[in-house]
Each structure stands twice: as C-alpha cells, then as structure tokens.
C-alpha cells in the first residue's frame, strides 16, 4: 500500500510520517507532496492508495484536491489531517467524499483507530473494481455466441508482448482502467466475434499482424467489455483509445506493469483457440 502525505509544512509532513510508522505502517511506501498541485503530479506518476491531506494549503487546498479527484472519478481513499475541526467542516469533507478527518494534534492511538477501518475499506475498494474470470467468461461467451473458457493466470500481458492496448476513461478524461491482449488472443477474439473462417486467423498469425478489419472487430468487443467496470463508479465509463501495441511511456504501459488491482487471464474460444488478456484497475495500488 502506498500512502501520500500532503501538507505545505515539511515539519508537519515529517510528524505525520513518524506517527504512521509508530502506528505500525512503516512497512508501507510513504510519499509526500507540498500542496494539491504537487499531489496530483505525484498521483499521475505513481500508484497511490490513500491520501492524507491538510485542509489549508497554497495553490490548491485539500478540499480543492479532493474535489478535483472526485470530479475525475478518482475514488481512492482520502482523509484530512487538519486543525480545522468544526462540525460544518467535517460535514463538507464527508459530503465531498472524504473517508475520515483527523484533528491536530493527533497521536499514535488516533492513527491506529482510524487506519484499522481504512485497511478494510481499502481492501473492499480494490476488490470492487476488479472483474472476475467468471464475469469475463460470461461476457465473452455472450459476444462470440459460444462458451468461452477463462482462467486466471500468473502470466500477464506485458507491454512488449501486447498486440493491442486500450484504455477506459471517465467523462472528464480521467483514466479508469486499461487492458491488453497478445496477438493470438487478439486474433481469436476478433475472428470468433465476426464468425470469420479460422483460415483468416491462421494467415494473420503467419504474417504476425492484426489486419485493420479484425482490429475494428476487436474494437467492438472492447467496447462491450467496459461493462466489467460498471460497478467502479456512478460515473459512466467509456472506451477511449485502442492502439496496436503499447508505447513504452504510455499510461497503458505504466498500469500493465502495476503488480496489483488486475486480472490476468488465459482464454479459449471454441474453434479459434485463444490467448492471454490483462485488465488493470487504474486506482489500485
């Protein structure tokens, strides 16, 4: 788990981090930001599970940061650590989507009490965002009109082996999830969905290429697979970019290398064979 501590006071950040370690969270990765703008930059470059944030900061306040995150569909856990402790402030924090408010001054027992609930909530959120192999099998079966077998595997589709990569986004353009298929998997789904003769898939495999018409078929499949993520948010999620291969520095490549919050699966389409597919939840850590 990675924890982001956001405060414009370096001394206060050090105090929060020290208290986290004293409370038993020293084994987790803890990163820092000096205000909301820096926090957004950190979250764009690294997977963060929990944000601990001050209320009053220059450039972008804690409340503005929370509103920016929730407005883009980012539902990761967010808590305030602040000297602001009025009933109205706590009500506003809860209304905007904060999970908790810790008042300054705080101590180890306060952190232990709050984070005992946070650990359980984090596990629930990560699980909620993940499609299961059974759900993927049911949806692929519906699409190709014959029973598709899907099993979880420890063999991910890494960027360098991805024949196709894609992303799902919120209305704001914020990233919700990404995915990738190897070439054999791409061709088996594209030809199976279009009920195209197997010989076409065999030819494409021999040429080591995904033809344009089969890519268009695959686009239709991926457009339906977005339904696997419908429970992630009340906001609609849509298919964004579909590309041949995965660029090394892209968001898709970054998330495909994410160790958690993912489903790696092997699948088989009757009569067409199968391949490997990876689906990764963008807000997992």
């Amino acid at each position: 788990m990675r924890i982001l501590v956001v405060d414009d006071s370096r001394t206060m950040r050090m105090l929060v981090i020290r208290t986290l370690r004293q409370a038993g969270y020293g084994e987790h990765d803890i990163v820092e930001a000096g205000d909301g703008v820096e926090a957004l930059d950190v979250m764009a470059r690294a997977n963060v599970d929990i944000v601990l944030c001050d209320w009053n900061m220059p450039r972008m306040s804690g409340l503005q940061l929370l509103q920016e995150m929730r407005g883009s569909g980012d539902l990761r856990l967010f808590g305030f650590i602040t000297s602001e402790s009025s009933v109205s402030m706590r009500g506003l924090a809860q209304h905007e989507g904060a999970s908790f408010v810790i008042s300054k001054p705080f101590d180890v027992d306060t952190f232990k009490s709050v984070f005992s609930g946070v650990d359980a909530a984090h596990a629930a959120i990560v699980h909620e965002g993940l499609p299961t192999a059974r759900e993927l099998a049911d949806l692929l079966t519906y699409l190709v009109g014959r029973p598709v077998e899907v099993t979880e595997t420890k063999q991910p589709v890494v960027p360098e082996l991805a024949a196709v990569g894609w992303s799902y986004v919120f209305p704001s353009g914020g990233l919700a999830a990404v995915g990738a298929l190897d070439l054999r998997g791409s061709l088996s789904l594209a030809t199976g969905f279009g009920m195209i003769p197997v010989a076409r898939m065999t030819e494409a495999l021999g040429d080591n290429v995904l033809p344009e018409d089969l890519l268009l078929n695959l686009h239709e499949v991926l457009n339906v697979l977005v339904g696997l993520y419908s429970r992630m948010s009340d906001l609609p999620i849509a298919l964004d970019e579909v590309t041949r291969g995965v660029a090394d520095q892209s968001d898709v490549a970054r998330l495909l290398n994410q160790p958690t919050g993912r489903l790696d699966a092997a699948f088989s389409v009757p009569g067409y064979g199968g391949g490997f597919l990876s689906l990764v939840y963008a807000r997992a850590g």
Side-chain angles (χ1 to χ4, degrees):
M1 182 169 67
R2 179 172 289 139
I3 303 170
L4 172 59
V5 178
V6 189
D7 199 299
D8 57 313
S9 167
R10 182 174 180 275
T11 300
M12 184 54 65
R13 294 199 304 270
M14 291 175 62
L15 179 58
V16 170
I17 292 170
R18 185 179 69 193
T19 308
L20 280 169
R21 288 171 176 159
Q22 291 172 340
Y25 292 86
E27 76 277 10
H28 297 299
D29 189 9
I30 303 174
V31 293
E32 305 176 47
D35 58 31
V37 175
E38 287 187 16
L40 289 175
D41 182 61
V42 170
M43 287 186 283
R45 292 183 287 103
N47 298 314
V48 171
D49 300 289
I50 300 174
V51 180
L52 302 180
C53 189
D54 188 22
W55 184 273
N56 292 312
M57 296 180 295
R59 295 207 297 173
M60 178 182 283
S61 70
L63 180 62
Q64 290 170 327
L65 172 60
L66 176 58
Q67 291 170 333
E68 175 74 17
M69 291 170 60
R70 295 300 186 253
S72 67
D74 189 334
L75 302 180
R76 79 187 82 198
L77 289 171
F78 190 107
F80 285 106
I81 301 179
T82 175
S83 55
E84 302 282 347
S85 58
S86 66
V87 173
S88 61
M89 173 268 177
R90 288 177 176 272
L92 179 57
Q94 182 178 16
H95 174 75
E96 295 295 339
S99 299
F100 57 87
V101 177
I102 296 176
S103 297
K104 300 174 184 176
F106 47 79
D107 58 23
V108 172
D109 289 338
T110 301
F111 273 41
K112 286 182 176 179
S113 176
V114 169
F115 273 79
S116 63
V118 165
D119 282 342
H122 172 253
I125 285 178
V126 171
H127 176 74
E128 182 182 357
L130 291 174
T132 66
R134 179 70 266 166
E135 290 169 332
L136 177 59
D138 289 344
L139 199 48
L140 292 179
T141 295
Y142 163 75
L143 282 167
V144 303
R146 65 204 76 180
V148 176
E149 294 184 4
V150 176
T151 57
E152 289 194 43
T153 177
K154 292 185 179 181
Q155 182 173 333
V157 181
V158 294
E160 55 269 28
L161 295 181
V164 175
W166 65 92
S167 56
Y168 295 120
V169 296
F170 295 105
S172 65
L175 194 61
V178 304
L181 280 156
D182 68 344
L183 181 60
R184 185 176 291 273
S186 299
L187 291 170
S188 63
L189 274 182
T191 52
F193 173 70
M195 294 184 289
I196 298 170
V198 178
R200 183 72 195 288
M201 181 185 74
T202 304
E203 178 185 5
L205 275 174
D207 293 336
N208 196 37
V209 66
L210 178 62
E212 185 64 28
D213 61 324
L214 295 186
L215 180 62
L216 290 175
N217 273 3
L218 195 59
H219 193 284
E220 295 301 317
V221 172
L222 301 178
N223 200 41
V224 174
L225 289 186
V226 70
L228 293 170
Y229 292 94
S230 61
R231 63 189 179 188
M232 283 175 56
S233 171
D234 292 334
L235 296 172
I237 299 171
L239 179 64
D240 186 32
E241 189 176 15
V242 179
T243 61
R244 283 188 175 88
V246 173
D248 290 342
Q249 302 303 315
S250 67
D251 286 335
V252 175
R254 174 176 60 83
L255 287 171
L256 285 176
N257 287 320
Q258 176 177 289
T260 60
R262 59 187 302 133
L263 171 64
D264 299 307
F267 65 93
S268 177
V269 180
Y272 291 88
F276 294 92
L277 177 150
S278 289
L279 297 172
V280 187
Y281 178 42
R283 291 192 302 271

